Amino acid sequence: MVQDLRFAVRQLFKAPGFTIAAVTVLALGIGVNTAVFSLVNTLFFASPAYGKPHEVVQLFSQDKKNPKKFRGFSYPTFLDIRKQNTVFSDAMSFNLSLIGIGQKGDTRRAFAAIVSSNYFSVLGVPLARGRAFLPEEETPGRNARVATVSYRYWQKQDLDPRVIGSQVLINGRSFTIVGITPKRFTGTMQILSPEVWLPMSVYDQVANNFEPQNKTAIGDRTGTQLRIIGRLKPGITAAAAKPALEGLAANLEKAYPVEQKDQTFTVRSVPTNTVSNNPAADSGLNAIAPLLLGMAVVVLLVACLNLANMLLARGTARRKEIAIRLALGGNRWRIVRQLLTEGFVLAVLGGAGGLILGLWSSDLLVGSMRKLMPLDIVWLTGPSPTILAATFGFCLLGTLMFALGPALKISRTTMMTDLKEHPGEDVVRRRWKFLPRNPLVVVQIAFSLALLTAAALFIRGAGKAASVDTGLKPGASYLLEVDASLAGYDSKRAQELYRNLNQRLAALPGVEHASISSIIPFGMFELTRKVQRAGLHPGPDAKPTTAADGLAFETAWNSVGADYFSTVGLPVIRGRVFTEAEATQPGPKVAIIDEVLAKKLWPEGDALGQRIQYAAENAPSAQGSGSAHAGRSADLSEDEKQAETIEIVGIVPATRHALFEKEPVGGIYLPFARGFQSDVSFFVRFHSLAPGNEAITADLLRRTVRDVDASIPVISLRTFAQHLDSNLDLWLVRAGAALFSIFGGLALGLAIVGLYGVKAYSVARRTREIGIRMALGAKPTAVLRLIMGEGLLMLLSGIALGLLLAAATGKILSGILYEVGAFDPIAFTAAPTLLAIAALIATWLPARRAAALNPVEALRYE
Amino acid sequence: MKSTELTAEESTNEFAGNGATPLIRLEGVTKVFLTDEVETHALSGIHLDIREGEYISIAGPSGCGKTTLLSILGLLDTPSGGSYALKGNEVANLSFAERARVRNREIGFIFQSFNLIGDLSVFENVELPLTYRGMSAGDRKALVTEALERVGMAHRAKHLPSQLSGGQQQRVAVARALAGRPAILLADEPTGNLDSRNGEAVMSLLRELHQGGATICMVTHDERFAQHADRTVHLFDGRVVEDRMAA
């Protein structure tokens, strides 16, 4: 074996050009797989950064009557479960909240986990520094202002040991840092991590309107704010825990028939990429993992086919050497072993290159995610044992894919013929001459076309997503996002502050209009509410089919200022806009709805002047009227619970609320005073924005906020166009396009290099044949036609097979494509055209060389 | 002397030939190879006439310029100087494509190493020059069958060259050379890769073809085979040192 290795290395050194080409091809193929595996493994398969993860499960509260419906837990329910359960060695509860962290006189937005005191002990995570929260720091009302910060937060403080005991400003209040989490710890998710952990006792002070359920106090048993995670007792499985948990749920339902009505408990593994009440929340993301890995493996396959071709070509040239080995008594297995060893050495060299390339590119991808994600991304660069093992696995897989076939073929040599053979002669009999000379290249072309078409589909989607029409025409507008609650404002003071700020913004020089809005189309959050015609209250078992019967409609909800519609360029079709008084002070209940909702509620008549009401959460609603976007149903405020009716005073055109909205869901606008949210954005519409003045304008807007109150954090400030461009959904579409473009581009490059290599090698091998043909009267054009014709046959066969593969790929991808059909004609035309042009150039170059051969020299060629 | 810029039409007509002029006339043909600024004179002032129906052998020691002369005669290469008239038409300076055309129609090659194409059958190998002529499939088949029958290889038409002996391969090469009814057959050491028995058989075949009217120009360094020709031209250092008719 050592001798085989030594000979393999010597052989590769003897052919540096071949070795460099082969290693490059493999590095690309393995690199893509390493990068994708590294990402997929971290997101989906890697062991969570807490102790004995197989024992850790999430408890879900499931509606017995509607098993698809899940909800969270209240803090009192958590305490009951923690005390009464028989299956967990311990259970903890937590939720995420957006907070404002004070930083050098400014405030930035970050995520905090608000946790029970046993959070770290249940997860089995010892802190890197400091202490965990004390049980008394959990008690609601204690308002214990202590915090544990992430390792990355500590890194930002240059790992200063004095961080423990220092103060951090959270939502305008000072908290003492008592602990630092370990380096790799990310909470319950994989790479997305909160930056700060706070004790449950500060929940009511810290949790903001990001979760509307937060309006319920933490001590209120009707709340559903919390997620519960438990550590199963040794020897108890999730299945074994089920009866005990169902019994516990039944007991709690008996004890609290209103709060726990129809609720049962179930445990599942902890979602690794979301924090959710729904155990299926990860499933959409999980479906992407095999898709990404599959596409990456196709790139490796194309690379291996490429290399198999190169090895076959090289093997043909080595036929005589192999015949000599056989003549000297070497058996076929020995020859195969030697050739596989050579392949393995190549694969290891390519794997080393691929590892570097893969780790670098995954770092690059994570870097681009970091700019957009509101959560901290904890990504450990460098190879882990798993990644190294996977890369080694790709090397072994690659070796089998590219070296085994050629090794078996080359070793099946006809000894005497090969010993006599002129090296330049090709005596292979091709039984079906109408078929392409090199089927491996055909398969390469086919797979490349499939990936290229997938890339084209994604690029088309990204193009459509980037140019999507929101329905708004805000002109030269800036969006200024602030959250007064992060500076410790309550809702009453915040309303006053926002009114003041709105006036100042509107009075700025060059400003045409300014208006507050609690929800921004294409923003990070969306609120939905169910509305129905006023005065109708169908029972929970009723099945209304029309709005007149009381059918409710889930609709996008927003609360806005008086000047909102002028600011965003949304003309009022009928009726009027809100008055300044309605927008700033609670007055008569009025709303403006869009045409879609108007049509749904009054299909035949005019909605203007009619009255509507919020429907109960369990009210029957129209199927498919919900948003495709992950909006959350807003709960009902005390006023709303009284089911007071709202008068429709205006109708506006429908707008698009989110990128992934399949059909208009309808929208309802309330005066801001009737729909207060602490996290708001101000649209500031300028008459015009002079190019190059962005910094000055942004500074002016920041100064205006500071003038009102310097402690108010400006969470984001950008133009409306920039806001659309930085949309997370758009990033997803673009990331998909970029990723598949890389796959497609690599596969195209490899296939074209493969085709060129095969044709160039074929021309070199057939120099003598070409010389003979020329001697017999073949003109240069005939030679050109011969080589191009063979290339064209390979290309057309590859395209035919590739279109079938592309159709299958399109079908698989159809679920995640953005407004592009699985068989989009433009993508299915552009991809084959691009491939054909590249392939024809790759064929033409060697064909031209063949046509220019000197027949005398060609005939002498050996 | 005709112009070198012959169109395809003209050349077809012009190459009809007439009995009065020699089939081939070389006048002062030279060939100089330039390698690393060193001039090598492969041919120096060759004067040679070959008449229709003649069987001529070109003999001489290795490196005397035999193969270079044959390459020029076969329009595979161009002379550095002098003139080359084929059927009375100047062909020394024809374009690459025109030379290919003339080669296809007027010249049949027989190579020392047979030069059959490995993945084409015997039939396809013989048919190959005819396909470059744009001939119909029916005409091609008739000519190929006739050629293979003349060399006694019709029964192996579907075989690959690798399935034939050296002698059989050379007979196929002869069939390919004569299938298009060229004006002259150029044979470069046609027995060089054959044993004496097969070598004799090929020489007999060439003699037979000559007797049937074919013009043959054969390069050989073997005196025994040179004697098969009516006339032997001896080359030495790129010059004709002897030109004698057979006794």
Side-chain angles (χ1 to χ4, degrees):
Chain A
M1 198 66 199
V2 174
Q3 195 191 1
D4 281 354
L5 268 173
R6 207 179 308 135
F7 184 77
V9 171
R10 211 164 54 214
Q11 282 291 100
L12 298 178
F13 265 110
K14 268 169 62 183
F18 165 80
T19 307
I20 290 168
V23 168
T24 308
V25 164
L26 275 171
L28 290 172
I30 293 176
V32 166
N33 278 269
T34 302
V36 169
F37 179 81
S38 157
L39 198 68
V40 167
N41 175 60
T42 309
L43 286 174
F44 303 105
F45 306 125
S47 187
Y50 45 79
K52 296 182 185 170
H54 60 281
E55 291 179 355
V56 179
V57 290
Q58 183 167 344
L59 186 70
F60 294 95
S61 187
Q62 187 177 25
D63 191 316
K64 285 187 283 189
K65 288 191 172 167
N66 183 2
K68 284 185 180 170
K69 199 168 171 186
F70 293 86
R71 70 175 209 197
F73 301 86
S74 70
Y75 180 70
T77 310
F78 158 65
L79 291 181
D80 289 341
I81 291 169
R82 189 177 173 192
K83 195 174 167 187
Q84 295 173 28
N85 89 83
T86 56
V87 295
F88 298 130
S89 53
D90 199 0
M92 61 81 165
S93 64
F94 76 104
N95 195 10
L96 291 181
S97 181
L98 268 178
I99 57 165
I101 294 184
Q103 185 178 272
K104 294 172 187 165
D106 206 348
T107 306
R108 65 184 170 83
R109 192 160 63 174
F111 264 93
I114 307 177
V115 302
S116 58
S117 59
N118 61 344
Y119 176 89
F120 293 106
S121 68
V122 169
L123 291 179
V125 175
L127 292 173
R129 288 276 199 288
R131 64 164 176 86
F133 298 129
L134 304 171
E136 56 268 30
E137 289 169 344
E138 177 183 321
T139 314
R142 281 292 296 266
N143 201 13
R145 289 190 186 169
V146 289
T148 292
V149 294
S150 70
Y151 192 88
R152 264 179 67 81
Y153 177 94
W154 191 32
Q155 274 182 321
K156 287 175 198 165
Q157 313 297 320
D158 302 324
L159 302 179
D160 183 353
R162 289 171 302 176
V163 161
I164 297 288
S166 69
Q167 301 294 303
V168 57
L169 207 61
I170 293 171
N171 291 4
R173 298 180 181 96
S174 195
F175 282 67
T176 305
I177 296 174
V178 296
I180 299 166
T181 61
K183 193 173 185 179
R184 284 188 60 221
F185 184 68
T186 52
T188 58
M189 290 189 286
Q190 285 298 66
I191 63 169
L192 303 173
S193 172
E195 200 169 337
V196 176
W197 283 258
L198 301 171
M200 200 64 82
S201 66
V202 299
Y203 198 100
D204 290 339
Q205 285 72 45
V206 174
N208 57 10
N209 283 351
F210 155 65
E211 275 286 320
Q213 284 90 335
N214 293 345
K215 286 176 187 171
T216 314
I218 191 68
D220 188 338
R221 190 171 280 280
T222 61
T224 55
Q225 309 95 322
L226 301 180
R227 282 84 175 146
I228 295 177
I229 283 179
R231 183 174 288 277
L232 291 167
K233 285 179 178 171
I236 293 186
T237 62
K242 196 169 187 280
L245 290 170
E246 284 172 351
L248 175 59
N251 290 343
L252 287 176
E253 191 178 1
K254 271 184 206 154
Y256 306 102
V258 177
E259 294 86 349
Q260 290 302 117
K261 187 171 186 286
D262 296 331
Q263 294 302 302
T264 188
F265 300 150
T266 179
V267 290
R268 306 278 170 81
S269 53
V270 182
T272 51
N273 293 300
T274 53
V275 169
S276 174
N277 292 327
N278 190 331
D282 263 5
S283 57
L285 270 172
N286 289 346
I288 294 174
L291 188 70
L292 282 176
L293 281 174
M295 294 296 160
V297 168
V298 171
V299 175
L300 182 61
L301 181 67
V302 173
C304 287
L305 287 170
N306 207 326
L307 208 55
N309 259 329
M310 289 162 79
L311 285 178
L312 273 176
R314 195 158 173 264
T316 312
R318 287 174 67 186
R319 270 192 319 206
K320 197 158 186 166
E321 173 213 319
I322 287 158
I324 292 168
R325 282 171 180 273
L326 289 169
L328 294 176
N331 63 29
R332 192 178 168 205
W333 159 237
R334 188 72 181 70
I335 304 293
V336 170
R337 199 178 79 182
Q338 174 60 48
L339 294 171
L340 280 178
T341 307
E342 286 179 34
F344 181 67
V345 172
L346 275 177
V348 168
L349 290 172
L355 185 69
I356 295 166
L357 196 70
L359 292 176
W360 171 77
S361 51
S362 49
D363 285 355
L364 205 68
L365 187 68
V366 170
S368 80
M369 278 162 71
R370 234 176 218 146
K371 289 174 192 158
L372 291 165
M373 297 298 271
L375 282 154
D376 230 5
I377 293 182
V378 177
W379 179 261
L380 297 179
T381 50
S384 68
T386 316
I387 301 297
L388 285 174
T391 306
F392 187 73
F394 292 133
C395 292
L396 285 178
L397 179 70
T399 306
L400 290 177
M401 279 161 74
F402 72 75
L404 185 60
L408 290 172
K409 187 170 180 192
I410 293 161
S411 62
R412 200 172 49 228
T413 177
T414 45
M415 207 192 322
M416 288 316 291
T417 311
D418 290 344
L419 283 171
K420 288 192 295 184
E421 206 61 66
H422 287 284
E425 287 179 14
D426 181 3
V427 291
V428 182
R429 178 172 200 156
R430 292 192 306 122
R431 203 164 294 198
W432 295 290
K433 289 184 181 171
F434 58 91
L435 289 178
R437 268 181 181 264
N438 199 316
L440 290 184
V441 175
V442 172
V443 178
Q444 267 188 74
I445 291 172
F447 277 115
S448 303
L449 180 57
L451 285 180
L452 208 58
T453 310
L457 288 170
F458 271 94
I459 290 169
R460 289 266 298 142
K464 285 193 173 184
S467 58
V468 71
D469 183 12
T470 60
L472 303 181
K473 291 180 179 57
S477 280
Y478 265 83
L479 274 174
L480 172 71
E481 187 182 1
V482 293
D483 188 343
S485 75
L486 301 185
Y489 274 72
D490 61 22
S491 62
K492 196 174 173 192
R493 286 178 61 224
Q495 287 229 39
E496 187 55 38
L497 176 105
Y498 291 159
R499 184 165 56 240
N500 187 5
L501 182 56
N502 204 143
Q503 282 170 359
R504 289 195 182 222
L505 290 170
L508 287 174
V511 171
E512 192 180 359
H513 297 285
S515 176
I516 195 168
S517 174
S518 55
I519 300 295
I520 299 297
F522 290 68
M524 201 175 293
F525 309 113
E526 187 187 358
L527 291 179
T528 59
R529 294 193 180 187
K530 277 184 183 177
V531 295
Q532 60 192 165
R533 288 191 189 180
L536 299 173
H537 301 283
D541 298 327
K543 289 187 171 60
T545 52
T546 64
D549 298 336
L551 187 66
F553 299 92
E554 185 112 19
T555 189
W557 181 96
N558 197 1
S559 58
V560 299
D563 214 9
Y564 177 79
F565 297 100
S566 309
T567 310
V568 299
L570 210 55
V572 176
I573 300 169
R574 287 196 301 285
R576 62 173 177 84
V577 296
F578 300 130
T579 64
E580 188 61 30
E582 285 168 341
T584 54
Q585 285 160 24
K589 290 194 169 181
V590 291
I592 293 169
I593 63 171
D594 71 13
E595 287 174 300
V596 171
L597 184 59
K599 191 80 182 162
K600 283 178 178 175
L601 287 168
W602 280 274
E604 308 300 333
D606 190 356
L608 188 66
Q610 304 282 2
R611 300 190 80 84
I612 55 172
Q613 65 191 22
Y614 291 120
E617 199 183 334
N618 59 354
S621 59
Q623 293 295 311
S625 63
S627 165
H629 191 67
R632 40 180 68 78
S633 236
D635 64 340
L636 304 180
S637 66
E638 285 307 312
D639 280 355
E640 290 155 0
K641 281 175 185 167
Q642 291 167 14
E644 287 183 26
T645 61
I646 306 165
E647 184 192 353
I648 298 167
V649 296
I651 294 173
V652 292
T655 61
R656 194 175 188 123
H657 305 94
L659 195 64
F660 289 128
E661 193 174 272
K662 282 184 179 150
E663 56 188 62
V665 292
I668 180 169
Y669 301 87
L670 260 68
F672 185 74
R674 282 242 162 240
F676 170 80
Q677 300 278 318
S678 67
D679 184 358
V680 295
S681 292
F682 288 89
F683 274 91
V684 186
R685 182 176 184 141
F686 288 82
H687 289 289
S688 64
L689 285 173
N693 281 355
E694 291 85 358
I696 297 168
T697 310
D699 188 52
L700 176 69
L701 294 171
R702 277 183 196 283
R703 266 191 291 123
T704 309
V705 177
R706 268 202 299 274
D707 289 348
V708 175
D709 184 341
S711 70
I712 300 296
V714 173
I715 293 164
S716 70
L717 176 59
R718 52 196 165 192
T719 63
F720 187 67
Q722 287 168 338
H723 162 74
L724 291 181
D725 203 47
S726 61
N727 177 265
L728 197 59
D729 291 342
L730 184 60
W731 178 84
L732 278 174
V733 175
R734 282 177 172 166
L739 214 56
F740 277 85
S741 296
I742 291 168
F743 290 157
L746 273 178
L748 173 70
L750 289 171
I752 295 308
V753 167
L755 181 62
Y756 172 79
V758 162
K759 292 316 297 174
Y761 186 76
S762 165
V763 166
R765 296 277 311 158
R766 295 168 68 192
T767 299
R768 195 182 174 92
E769 178 199 322
I770 292 162
I772 296 167
R773 287 174 182 271
M774 286 178 153
L776 298 177
K779 292 177 190 170
T781 48
V783 175
L784 195 76
R785 260 203 315 274
L786 173 77
I787 306 296
M788 287 297 287
E790 288 169 1
L792 201 63
L793 183 60
M794 281 198 269
L795 177 64
L796 292 177
S797 309
I799 285 179
L801 184 61
L803 283 174
L804 292 176
L805 287 174
T809 310
K811 198 81 186 149
I812 293 168
L813 295 175
S814 59
I816 55 170
L817 290 173
Y818 182 75
E819 294 194 354
V820 176
F823 311 114
D824 179 66
I826 294 179
F828 272 73
T829 307
T833 305
L834 177 66
L835 180 79
I837 290 170
L840 286 176
I841 293 171
T843 312
W844 180 72
L845 292 171
R848 193 187 58 162
R849 202 175 312 136
L853 279 174
N854 179 331
V856 178
E857 284 170 15
L859 284 168
R860 278 195 215 119
Y861 180 85
E862 287 199 352
Chain B
M1 196 69 57
K2 290 300 292 182
S3 147
T4 55
E5 279 103 29
L6 290 172
T7 64
E9 291 301 316
E10 285 168 340
S11 83
T12 306
N13 297 332
E14 290 304 324
F15 281 102
N18 65 65
T21 54
L23 180 66
I24 284 173
R25 169 162 285 174
L26 300 183
E27 287 181 336
V29 165
T30 60
K31 183 66 183 177
V32 182
F33 292 109
L34 275 172
T35 45
D36 296 333
E37 296 178 6
V38 177
E39 281 191 2
T40 306
H41 291 260
L43 296 176
S44 307
I46 300 284
H47 294 272
L48 181 67
D49 282 359
I50 301 173
R51 299 201 169 271
E52 210 168 300
E54 231 180 342
Y55 186 175
I56 180 171
S57 74
I58 298 171
S62 180
C64 69
K66 301 188 294 289
T67 302
T68 304
L69 178 59
L70 202 71
S71 296
I72 289 171
L73 286 174
L75 296 175
L76 290 171
D77 208 349
T78 50
S80 307
S83 73
Y84 172 15
L86 177 62
K87 289 187 176 175
N89 300 298
E90 181 59 41
V91 293
N93 296 311
L94 289 180
S95 70
F96 198 85
E98 271 303 317
R99 276 193 284 139
R101 216 185 96 77
V102 175
R103 206 158 54 226
N104 178 253
R105 287 170 181 270
E106 306 295 345
I107 293 161
F109 277 104
I110 303 163
F111 301 99
Q112 178 181 354
S113 52
F114 327 137
N115 279 345
L116 299 175
I117 293 175
D119 65 348
L120 297 183
S121 68
V122 163
F123 186 94
E124 289 164 336
N125 264 288
V126 178
E127 187 188 28
L128 193 60
L130 306 179
T131 61
Y132 294 131
R133 210 178 277 191
M135 205 175 259
S136 72
D139 290 348
R140 287 203 306 268
K141 189 177 178 189
L143 285 176
V144 171
T145 308
E146 183 193 321
L148 283 174
E149 279 170 357
R150 277 185 81 178
V151 300
M153 290 298 292
H155 63 294
R156 309 300 292 268
K158 289 181 180 170
H159 286 71
L160 284 178
S162 57
Q163 295 168 312
L164 305 178
S165 70
Q168 286 174 321
Q169 287 190 47
Q170 193 60 301
R171 279 154 69 186
V172 173
V174 172
R176 182 178 64 185
L178 59 89
R181 295 174 182 162
I184 185 167
L185 290 177
L186 298 179
D188 186 5
E189 304 272 11
T191 58
N193 275 12
L194 300 174
D195 58 34
S196 57
R197 193 171 63 84
N198 276 313
E200 282 297 341
V202 168
M203 291 314 296
S204 300
L205 180 60
L206 291 181
R207 165 63 58 191
E208 208 178 293
L209 292 172
H210 170 58
Q211 283 164 354
T215 309
I216 300 173
C217 176
M218 174 179 69
V219 162
T220 182
H221 66 274
D222 190 324
E223 274 299 324
R224 285 177 303 137
F225 294 133
Q227 286 166 10
H228 282 263
D230 301 333
R231 179 181 158 205
T232 303
V233 173
H234 277 270
L235 290 186
F236 189 79
D237 273 355
R239 293 173 192 279
V240 176
V241 292
E242 188 184 0
D243 187 346
R244 63 177 165 81
M245 301 297 286

